[in-house]
Amino acid sequence: MSDYNKLTSALAQELKAIVGENRFQCGEQVKEDYSHDEMPIYGRFMPEAVCLVESTEEVSAIMKLCRENKIPVTVRGAGTGLVGGCVPINGGIVLGTERMNRILSYDMKNLVVHTQPGVLLCDLAADALAHGLMYPPDPGEKTATVGGNVSTNAGGMRAVKYGVTRDYVLAMTVVLPNGEIMKLGKTVCKTSSGYSLLHLMIGSEGTLGIITELTLKLIPKPEKDVSLILPFKDIATAIASVPEIKLANLDPQSIEFMERDIVDSSAAFTGNAVFPTVVNGKEAGAYILVTLVGGGEDELTVKMERLSEVAEKTGAYDMLVVWTDGLKKDVWAARSAFLTVIEAETKLLDEMDVVVPVDRIAEFLVYTHDEAEKQGVRVRSFGHAGDGNLHIYCCSNELEEDEFKRRVRKLMDLCYAKCTEFEGQVSGEHSIGHAKKAYLRQSVGDTAYGLMGAIKKVFDPDGILNPGKVVD
């Protein structure tokens, strides 16, 4: 937008006074990392200044100044997003929450944790386990912040059993675009008390308010768990097993799928060849990775026997038990490395994060691969078979960037249209940012998209908070 104001030297001094010289960057001091997220194909946009905040009061003071002077503000956590959601496409200020990284307290009687938004997911998960508890949301990027997870309603591998981030947010403190501080939600597990502004804020990608404190629900740590690898002939056969697994009364913690090529790349990249390529004399073309939890070995043994029957019925070559802690760590480290491997091997990269009904996963993947071949784009895929969330990466090391973008745009136009036809959603967990806005509008229709824009205007009438994201 052309009607935002530029940062003046006087205003820069006022911002510096709020956060201190060591937490303020301006002009040439601003680090290039703040211009992009982990998907730089969507552009690099330098902010005029960066404020690294440490408190709700600092955020409030900054927003009051920026609203008075009509300066755009983009909130950023760890910058691990994949849709350009935390990049300052209109310049202005980046408000970084990376210093708000304290776990404030545990309430063991109510099974909740109070935390700042800049705490890393991996740190919260480990700290909760040390208290005998588990924070169930498990997005693949463990170095993302919990505030970023809440802002994008991140899902992850355990969503098939426990749900997504939204299901574990009980309360939050938010700073509105005008600087007003508001508390949403309570430390209770149910409410029928008017419109849920708390849930409106979750998944809003920092366009409605700035989260400065969170109250998150925890659960007791499961007593025992086991992972199991099911190798199949191809991806269609592998995916066809998923409904049978879900119907077998196993209550799996996760059901992941992966194609052979990404497994091979991960093994070469990490030196960790934990997924077998030849099983009982047969070449594996795809895999299902299941995690089961229970109160003890006896319970898990019964579940494993039931899963073994499903595996045999659906054409799995075998069922490989991952029981020891060391092997479980290796298997899930290999799975978690998939995106890192793709990034390391690829010069140009774009992605789709669609979610489709589970029974349409294989059909959608086949369609995507066929259309990608027609467009001359390499596609690599993996994802959450249990909930239909597919991570599909378009890759090239040969094409020039403009030609790559042209081909990928045509492919994505076709694939997102097919996703809508299948009653799917544009994003399962990576959100919209500025990269997927057009596809969101096509998917939900003009009426729903217009209502989203109206909500944005109510919260942020001046349009200064993370402008250009999600809605126009």
Side-chain angles (χ1 to χ4, degrees):
M1 292 175 64
S2 59
D3 56 348
Y4 293 121
N5 294 322
K6 293 292 184 182
L7 184 67
T8 64
S9 58
L11 182 55
Q13 290 301 314
E14 290 187 76
L15 292 170
K16 184 191 294 186
I18 294 171
V19 296
E21 186 170 357
N22 293 334
R23 293 188 280 121
F24 182 75
Q25 302 170 22
C26 191
E28 295 182 356
Q29 297 175 328
V30 176
K31 297 177 181 177
E32 192 270 342
D33 279 353
Y34 291 107
S35 71
H36 63 89
D37 63 6
E38 283 199 17
M39 195 61 67
I41 195 79
Y42 299 141
R44 298 172 186 268
F45 306 88
M46 288 297 292
E48 297 169 78
V50 175
C51 297
L52 301 178
V53 293
E54 290 186 351
S55 71
T56 299
E57 291 70 28
E58 288 180 354
V59 175
S60 175
I62 290 169
M63 290 312 302
K64 287 176 181 177
L65 272 179
C66 289
R67 188 196 184 194
E68 290 169 4
N69 293 276
K70 203 165 188 185
I71 304 292
V73 177
T74 302
V75 186
R76 182 185 178 94
T80 60
L82 298 170
V83 291
C86 67
V87 298
I89 61 176
N90 290 280
I93 308 299
V94 162
L95 195 153
T97 61
E98 61 202 69
R99 301 283 291 263
M100 299 184 73
N101 58 3
R102 291 185 297 125
I103 298 173
L104 300 172
S105 64
Y106 285 87
D107 180 344
M108 300 301 289
K109 293 182 179 179
N110 289 301
L111 293 185
V112 301
V113 60
H114 304 286
T115 180
Q116 291 183 312
V119 172
L120 301 185
L121 173 64
C122 56
D123 292 339
L124 177 62
D127 200 65
L129 287 174
H131 285 77
L133 301 170
M134 186 172 81
Y135 178 60
D138 189 37
E141 180 51 80
K142 309 307 181 196
T143 60
T145 64
V146 291
N149 287 169
V150 173
S151 294
T152 58
N153 189 33
M157 305 176 203
R158 297 195 290 236
V160 65
K161 177 175 175 63
Y162 299 116
V164 296
T165 298
R166 177 184 304 279
D167 301 306
Y168 294 87
V169 182
L170 295 178
M172 64 172 67
T173 300
V174 177
V175 176
L176 298 177
N178 64 3
E180 184 177 350
I181 299 169
M182 180 169 62
K183 293 185 181 294
L184 300 174
K186 303 288 184 183
T187 307
V188 294
C189 293
K190 62 192 299 187
T191 177
S192 182
S193 308
Y195 299 151
S196 180
L197 300 182
L198 173 73
H199 287 90
L200 188 59
M201 199 64 63
I202 300 166
S204 64
E205 302 186 46
T207 63
L208 305 181
I210 301 169
I211 299 168
T212 61
E213 192 172 317
L214 289 160
T215 300
L216 303 172
K217 182 170 65 173
L218 303 171
I219 66 172
K221 174 186 173 184
E223 292 291 329
K224 291 285 184 179
D225 67 88
V226 62
S227 294
L228 305 112
I229 300 172
L230 280 59
F232 288 87
K233 174 185 177 182
D234 53 35
I235 193 64
T237 311
I239 294 299
S241 72
V242 175
E244 298 294 330
I245 294 171
K246 296 180 75 173
L247 285 168
N249 199 27
L250 302 170
D251 196 19
Q253 187 182 79
S254 61
I255 312 174
E256 297 291 291
F257 81 89
M258 56 217 68
E259 296 186 275
R260 169 69 179 273
D261 78 309
I262 187 62
V263 166
D264 289 344
S265 292
S266 179
F269 183 82
T270 63
N272 187 7
V274 291
F275 289 88
T277 55
V278 178
V279 182
N280 296 327
K282 301 174 183 178
E283 284 278 343
Y287 306 83
I288 294 293
L289 175 60
V290 180
T291 297
L292 303 174
V293 295
E297 291 187 16
D298 290 345
E299 180 182 349
L300 285 182
T301 298
V302 172
K303 288 186 175 183
M304 285 190 292
E305 290 172 353
R306 199 177 303 148
L307 180 60
S308 179
E309 294 172 2
V310 174
E312 183 176 2
K313 174 184 174 183
T314 56
Y317 292 159
D318 202 343
M319 187 183 80
L320 309 172
V321 180
V322 184
W323 191 264
T324 67
D325 289 341
L327 189 53
K328 278 188 286 189
K329 182 178 179 181
D330 287 344
V331 166
W332 285 102
R335 163 60 183 87
S336 296
F338 286 171
L339 176 54
T340 302
V341 170
I342 293 174
E343 290 175 332
E345 294 183 347
T346 308
K347 183 178 74 172
L348 295 172
L349 186 65
D350 204 341
E351 64 97 35
M352 289 182 279
D353 168 50
V354 299
V355 56
V356 298
V358 171
D359 65 341
R360 307 303 292 268
I361 294 175
E363 188 178 357
F364 187 86
L365 287 173
V366 169
Y367 176 86
T368 299
H369 280 273
D370 287 347
E371 292 301 329
E373 187 173 350
K374 293 176 186 176
Q375 299 303 324
V377 175
R378 185 186 186 190
V379 161
R380 312 186 77 179
S381 59
F382 58 91
H384 315 308
D387 56 34
N389 188 193
L390 317 178
H391 300 320
I392 300 171
Y393 291 87
C394 304
C395 312
S396 177
N397 289 322
E398 297 81 27
L399 297 172
E400 294 298 321
E401 185 168 326
D402 287 346
E403 177 63 13
F404 174 75
K405 287 181 175 179
R406 185 191 71 79
R407 296 188 189 190
V408 169
R409 176 62 183 269
K410 189 171 182 180
L411 175 62
M412 287 192 175
D413 287 348
L414 293 167
C415 290
Y416 280 116
K418 181 63 69 173
C419 176
T420 299
E421 177 188 328
F422 284 0
E423 296 293 321
Q425 294 278 14
V426 172
S427 173
E429 58 188 10
H430 294 169
S431 287
I432 302 302
H434 73 89
K436 309 298 183 186
K437 287 198 304 180
Y439 297 120
L440 176 66
R441 184 169 196 155
Q442 292 168 13
S443 176
V444 302
D446 288 342
T447 300
Y449 194 77
L451 286 170
M452 292 181 193
I455 291 169
K456 164 70 172 172
K457 193 169 184 178
V458 168
F459 277 82
D460 184 17
D462 299 304
I464 63 167
L465 191 53
N466 207 5
K469 315 296 172 57
V470 187
V471 294
D472 297 320

